[in-house]
mmCIF file of all heavy atoms in Angstrom:
data_model
loop_
_atom_site.group_PDB
_atom_site.id
_atom_site.type_symbol
_atom_site.label_atom_id
_atom_site.label_comp_id
_atom_site.label_asym_id
_atom_site.label_seq_id
_atom_site.Cartn_x
_atom_site.Cartn_y
_atom_site.Cartn_z
ATOM 1 N N VAL A 298 -36.859 21.238 9.907
ATOM 2 C CA VAL A 298 -36.250 21.989 10.986
ATOM 3 C C VAL A 298 -36.667 23.443 10.856
ATOM 4 O O VAL A 298 -36.572 24.031 9.780
ATOM 5 C CB VAL A 298 -34.706 21.882 10.931
ATOM 6 C CG1 VAL A 298 -34.073 22.672 12.066
ATOM 7 C CG2 VAL A 298 -34.283 20.438 10.993
ATOM 8 N N SER A 307 -26.475 23.420 29.532
ATOM 9 C CA SER A 307 -26.307 23.284 30.975
ATOM 10 C C SER A 307 -24.994 22.556 31.226
ATOM 11 O O SER A 307 -24.774 21.458 30.706
ATOM 12 C CB SER A 307 -27.462 22.481 31.595
ATOM 13 O OG SER A 307 -28.711 23.106 31.352
ATOM 14 N N ALA A 310 -21.212 18.100 36.072
ATOM 15 C CA ALA A 310 -20.028 17.586 36.760
ATOM 16 C C ALA A 310 -19.173 16.803 35.764
ATOM 17 O O ALA A 310 -19.616 16.474 34.662
ATOM 18 C CB ALA A 310 -20.445 16.693 37.927
ATOM 19 N N GLY A 313 -13.114 19.180 33.118
ATOM 20 C CA GLY A 313 -11.696 19.123 33.443
ATOM 21 C C GLY A 313 -10.916 20.247 32.811
ATOM 22 O O GLY A 313 -11.354 20.856 31.823
ATOM 23 N N ARG A 321 -4.356 17.062 35.686
ATOM 24 C CA ARG A 321 -5.652 17.600 35.286
ATOM 25 C C ARG A 321 -6.500 17.968 36.497
ATOM 26 O O ARG A 321 -6.590 17.212 37.460
ATOM 27 C CB ARG A 321 -6.394 16.574 34.422
ATOM 28 C CG ARG A 321 -7.694 17.082 33.818
ATOM 29 C CD ARG A 321 -8.383 15.992 33.018
ATOM 30 N NE ARG A 321 -7.545 15.494 31.947
ATOM 31 C CZ ARG A 321 -7.880 14.477 31.142
ATOM 32 N NH1 ARG A 321 -9.038 13.840 31.333
ATOM 33 N NH2 ARG A 321 -7.075 14.092 30.185
ATOM 34 N N GLN A 337 -30.442 29.720 10.423
ATOM 35 C CA GLN A 337 -31.061 28.863 9.422
ATOM 36 C C GLN A 337 -30.063 27.825 8.909
ATOM 37 O O GLN A 337 -28.866 28.085 8.852
ATOM 38 C CB GLN A 337 -31.574 29.711 8.257
ATOM 39 C CG GLN A 337 -32.679 30.675 8.646
ATOM 40 C CD GLN A 337 -33.263 31.378 7.449
ATOM 41 O OE1 GLN A 337 -33.004 31.011 6.298
ATOM 42 N NE2 GLN A 337 -34.067 32.398 7.704
ATOM 43 N N PRO A 338 -30.547 26.641 8.551
ATOM 44 C CA PRO A 338 -29.658 25.591 8.051
ATOM 45 C C PRO A 338 -28.971 26.004 6.761
ATOM 46 O O PRO A 338 -29.544 26.708 5.924
ATOM 47 C CB PRO A 338 -30.599 24.403 7.818
ATOM 48 C CG PRO A 338 -31.827 24.718 8.610
ATOM 49 C CD PRO A 338 -31.955 26.199 8.636
ATOM 50 N N GLU A 341 -25.908 22.179 3.534
ATOM 51 C CA GLU A 341 -25.530 20.866 4.058
ATOM 52 C C GLU A 341 -26.326 20.506 5.299
ATOM 53 O O GLU A 341 -26.111 19.446 5.897
ATOM 54 C CB GLU A 341 -24.036 20.861 4.377
ATOM 55 C CG GLU A 341 -23.159 21.118 3.148
ATOM 56 C CD GLU A 341 -21.700 21.212 3.512
ATOM 57 O OE1 GLU A 341 -21.390 21.420 4.703
ATOM 58 O OE2 GLU A 341 -20.858 21.074 2.614
ATOM 59 N N ASP A 351 -22.454 37.610 27.669
ATOM 60 C CA ASP A 351 -22.917 38.119 28.961
ATOM 61 C C ASP A 351 -24.056 37.281 29.542
ATOM 62 O O ASP A 351 -24.465 37.484 30.691
ATOM 63 C CB ASP A 351 -23.334 39.586 28.863
ATOM 64 C CG ASP A 351 -24.411 39.832 27.813
ATOM 65 O OD1 ASP A 351 -24.905 38.862 27.207
ATOM 66 O OD2 ASP A 351 -24.762 41.007 27.601
ATOM 67 N N ARG A 354 -22.966 31.605 32.135
ATOM 68 C CA ARG A 354 -22.514 31.505 33.516
ATOM 69 C C ARG A 354 -21.569 30.318 33.633
ATOM 70 O O ARG A 354 -21.925 29.189 33.280
ATOM 71 C CB ARG A 354 -23.689 31.325 34.480
ATOM 72 C CG ARG A 354 -23.251 31.262 35.933
ATOM 73 C CD ARG A 354 -24.431 31.127 36.891
ATOM 74 N NE ARG A 354 -23.971 31.121 38.273
ATOM 75 C CZ ARG A 354 -23.539 30.044 38.925
ATOM 76 N NH1 ARG A 354 -23.529 28.866 38.294
ATOM 77 N NH2 ARG A 354 -23.132 30.117 40.166
ATOM 78 N N LEU A 370 -8.690 22.340 45.712
ATOM 79 C CA LEU A 370 -7.796 23.493 45.634
ATOM 80 C C LEU A 370 -7.630 24.103 47.025
ATOM 81 O O LEU A 370 -8.558 24.078 47.835
ATOM 82 C CB LEU A 370 -8.364 24.547 44.690
ATOM 83 C CG LEU A 370 -8.340 24.267 43.180
ATOM 84 C CD1 LEU A 370 -8.863 25.481 42.427
ATOM 85 C CD2 LEU A 370 -6.937 23.923 42.708
ATOM 86 N N GLY A 373 -8.951 29.815 49.378
ATOM 87 C CA GLY A 373 -8.485 31.142 48.985
ATOM 88 C C GLY A 373 -8.022 31.215 47.543
ATOM 89 O O GLY A 373 -8.073 32.293 46.930
ATOM 90 N N GLU A 384 -19.405 30.371 19.996
ATOM 91 C CA GLU A 384 -20.256 30.249 18.821
ATOM 92 C C GLU A 384 -19.636 29.257 17.840
ATOM 93 O O GLU A 384 -18.434 28.982 17.896
ATOM 94 C CB GLU A 384 -20.453 31.594 18.134
ATOM 95 C CG GLU A 384 -19.172 32.260 17.661
ATOM 96 C CD GLU A 384 -19.439 33.644 17.090
ATOM 97 O OE1 GLU A 384 -19.692 34.588 17.866
ATOM 98 O OE2 GLU A 384 -19.406 33.767 15.855
ATOM 99 N N VAL A 406 -5.934 34.981 44.688
ATOM 100 C CA VAL A 406 -5.642 34.482 46.026
ATOM 101 C C VAL A 406 -6.434 35.352 46.991
ATOM 102 O O VAL A 406 -6.045 36.482 47.295
ATOM 103 C CB VAL A 406 -4.141 34.536 46.347
ATOM 104 C CG1 VAL A 406 -3.889 33.999 47.752
ATOM 105 C CG2 VAL A 406 -3.344 33.747 45.319
ATOM 106 N N TYR A 410 -4.993 39.342 45.957
ATOM 107 C CA TYR A 410 -4.196 39.355 44.728
ATOM 108 C C TYR A 410 -4.977 38.753 43.578
ATOM 109 O O TYR A 410 -5.637 37.713 43.737
ATOM 110 C CB TYR A 410 -2.900 38.558 44.927
ATOM 111 C CG TYR A 410 -2.069 38.451 43.666
ATOM 112 C CD1 TYR A 410 -1.307 39.524 43.221
ATOM 113 C CD2 TYR A 410 -2.077 37.285 42.916
ATOM 114 C CE1 TYR A 410 -0.566 39.436 42.056
ATOM 115 C CE2 TYR A 410 -1.327 37.188 41.750
ATOM 116 C CZ TYR A 410 -0.575 38.267 41.329
ATOM 117 O OH TYR A 410 0.143 38.174 40.178
ATOM 118 N N THR A 427 -5.952 16.436 18.901
ATOM 119 C CA THR A 427 -4.600 15.926 19.100
ATOM 120 C C THR A 427 -3.641 17.102 19.164
ATOM 121 O O THR A 427 -3.727 18.024 18.346
ATOM 122 C CB THR A 427 -4.184 14.985 17.955
ATOM 123 O OG1 THR A 427 -5.091 13.874 17.894
ATOM 124 C CG2 THR A 427 -2.778 14.452 18.169
ATOM 125 N N ILE A 452 -1.437 28.738 25.281
ATOM 126 C CA ILE A 452 -1.497 29.792 26.290
ATOM 127 C C ILE A 452 -0.205 30.594 26.263
ATOM 128 O O ILE A 452 0.889 30.046 26.453
ATOM 129 C CB ILE A 452 -1.714 29.215 27.700
ATOM 130 C CG1 ILE A 452 -2.912 28.261 27.704
ATOM 131 C CG2 ILE A 452 -1.904 30.335 28.707
ATOM 132 C CD1 ILE A 452 -4.219 28.922 27.356
ATOM 133 N N ASP A 468 2.650 27.505 26.903
ATOM 134 C CA ASP A 468 2.409 26.064 26.830
ATOM 135 C C ASP A 468 0.958 25.849 26.391
ATOM 136 O O ASP A 468 0.338 26.777 25.860
ATOM 137 C CB ASP A 468 2.677 25.391 28.166
ATOM 138 C CG ASP A 468 3.133 23.938 28.003
ATOM 139 O OD1 ASP A 468 2.395 23.174 27.355
ATOM 140 O OD2 ASP A 468 4.200 23.588 28.541
ATOM 141 N N ALA A 484 -37.723 21.073 17.654
ATOM 142 C CA ALA A 484 -36.527 21.472 16.917
ATOM 143 C C ALA A 484 -36.027 20.376 15.973
ATOM 144 O O ALA A 484 -35.328 20.648 15.014
ATOM 145 C CB ALA A 484 -35.414 21.867 17.884
ATOM 146 N N PRO A 490 -36.557 14.520 22.862
ATOM 147 C CA PRO A 490 -37.340 13.424 23.428
ATOM 148 C C PRO A 490 -38.607 13.179 22.626
ATOM 149 O O PRO A 490 -39.149 14.096 22.008
ATOM 150 C CB PRO A 490 -37.673 13.919 24.839
ATOM 151 C CG PRO A 490 -37.632 15.404 24.721
ATOM 152 C CD PRO A 490 -36.540 15.701 23.731
ATOM 153 N N GLY A 493 -44.590 13.197 24.643
ATOM 154 C CA GLY A 493 -45.022 12.677 25.923
ATOM 155 C C GLY A 493 -43.928 12.555 26.953
ATOM 156 O O GLY A 493 -44.194 12.263 28.112
ATOM 157 N N SER A 495 -40.519 14.622 28.596
ATOM 158 C CA SER A 495 -39.870 15.929 28.630
ATOM 159 C C SER A 495 -38.370 15.786 28.441
ATOM 160 O O SER A 495 -37.762 14.784 28.798
ATOM 161 C CB SER A 495 -40.149 16.639 29.958
ATOM 162 O OG SER A 495 -39.632 15.879 31.031
#
Side-chain angles (χ1 to χ4, degrees):
V298 180
S307 301
R321 186 182 301 176
Q337 296 186 12
E341 299 176 342
D351 57 4
R354 182 178 182 275
L370 288 184
E384 59 185 75
V406 180
Y410 176 77
T427 300
I452 309 297
D468 209 304
S495 61

